[in-house]
Amino acid sequence: MPVPSLRTAVLLLTVALTAAACGSSDTRPVLTIGAGDSPQSTVLAEIYAQALSRTGARTTVAPALGDRKALLAALDSNTVAVTPEVNGDLLTALDSSASARKPDAVTTALYAALPEGLAVSDPADGTDLRPTVAIAAARTPEFPSTLKDLAPRCPDLTVGIAIGPALDAMRAPLDPHRDVLDPLHTVYACDLPQPVTYPTDADLRKAVLSHEIQLAVFSGPPAFLPDGSSGLVSLADPVYALRAADILALIRKGALTADQLRKLNYVSGELGTTELADMIHQVRDNHAIPASVARTWLDAHAL
């Protein structure tokens, strides 16, 4: 075998050293964004990761890490820096005795309940993910538009509640009395009779559209149903009998710079229920790639 010339050897060495230098030149830490076991969590994790990367950060998404308990453990162990959350749900998990319902009160109570070492972004107040009381659109003339005005009629109505897996798998199933009947009684004096329970939100939808029941309490916004909210009309809950449930980022303290945290707050300012539902449909129902869906949304909002 011929021996390489000195010039060739030097050239090969230069190429090797250049490649090694390129491979090791980026010493920035990698921010890992943790996603739970749901399309909603996955889409939001991709949005956070790509938004942060646009500030100059190196980011990666760790998908399908499990439930809230697993994500909190990942934050605690420094495995992830950020994960999507829902403020009211997180408050319930951290402080089961908390009575706050309205958005500002939930934010204050959540700050007090957060474990040492964790912080949150601003809540996305355009994302109202509360359980929702709805009627069949065909029966709209029969009912008022708010739960407050509905209260005097409550004892005479038949209500159905979805008690199986929630529309977002990261959320706990509804407890009929704790999550629905008791709050409606306390806030609006709406005393509904014993509810009819359904194993899924889809089954509940069929029941209310077929007039088997008059009211349906879904585990989240009807827009998140596989068929969307077509044929349904939601009744407003102006006093927040059902606790505020807005998207926010749960963050390990010290993991983000001020600019990076500001970026996540900008994301919160742009997120809305309708667009989030659309992104979930794309990923869950149409099998779109979450990263592509997130990129399109960020570009559309100039983030």
Side-chain angles (χ1 to χ4, degrees), residues 6-24:
L6 179 60
R7 180 178 179 183
T8 300
V10 169
L11 179 61
L12 291 173
L13 179 60
T14 301
V15 170
L17 290 173
T18 301
C22 291
S24 62

Side-chain angles (χ1 to χ4, degrees), residues 70-107:
L71 289 169
L72 287 170
L75 285 163
D76 184 61
S77 66
N78 201 21
T79 304
V80 303
V82 180
T83 189
E85 257 296 354
V86 177
N87 60 358
D89 296 351
L90 182 58
L91 176 59
T92 300
L94 296 177
D95 182 2
S96 60
S97 66
S99 60
R101 301 188 314 270
K102 296 183 179 180
D104 288 347
V106 167
T107 296

Side-chain angles (χ1 to χ4, degrees), residues 236-286:
D237 175 15
V239 190
Y240 285 82
L242 307 179
R243 174 174 283 171
D246 304 327
I247 296 293
L248 47 64
L250 183 60
I251 306 160
R252 194 177 68 251
K253 280 185 179 178
L256 303 184
T257 66
D259 285 344
Q260 290 164 351
L261 179 57
R262 191 177 301 114
K263 189 72 167 184
L264 293 188
N265 288 337
Y266 289 154
V267 168
S268 289
E270 296 294 326
L271 275 172
T273 305
T274 300
E275 285 187 310
L276 179 57
D278 178 64
M279 288 188 281
I280 290 169
H281 284 300
Q282 291 181 56
V283 172
R284 183 191 65 198
D285 305 324
N286 300 327

Side-chain angles (χ1 to χ4, degrees), residues 140-212:
T140 301
E142 302 175 35
F143 295 94
S145 60
T146 73
L147 293 173
K148 179 180 178 180
D149 294 330
L150 182 73
R153 295 183 53 191
C154 285
D156 301 320
L157 300 176
T158 304
V159 62
I161 301 177
I163 61 169
L167 286 169
D168 174 31
M170 298 297 293
R171 306 185 75 180
L174 290 177
D175 178 287
H177 285 275
R178 181 195 65 206
D179 299 327
V180 180
L181 300 183
D182 292 347
L184 291 179
H185 165 75
T186 300
V187 175
Y188 296 118
C190 170
D191 294 312
L192 291 163
Q194 185 65 28
V196 181
T197 57
Y198 293 86
T200 69
D201 288 272
D203 292 323
L204 178 62
R205 177 198 180 99
K206 292 176 183 177
V208 73
L209 291 181
S210 67
H211 298 183
E212 180 181 316

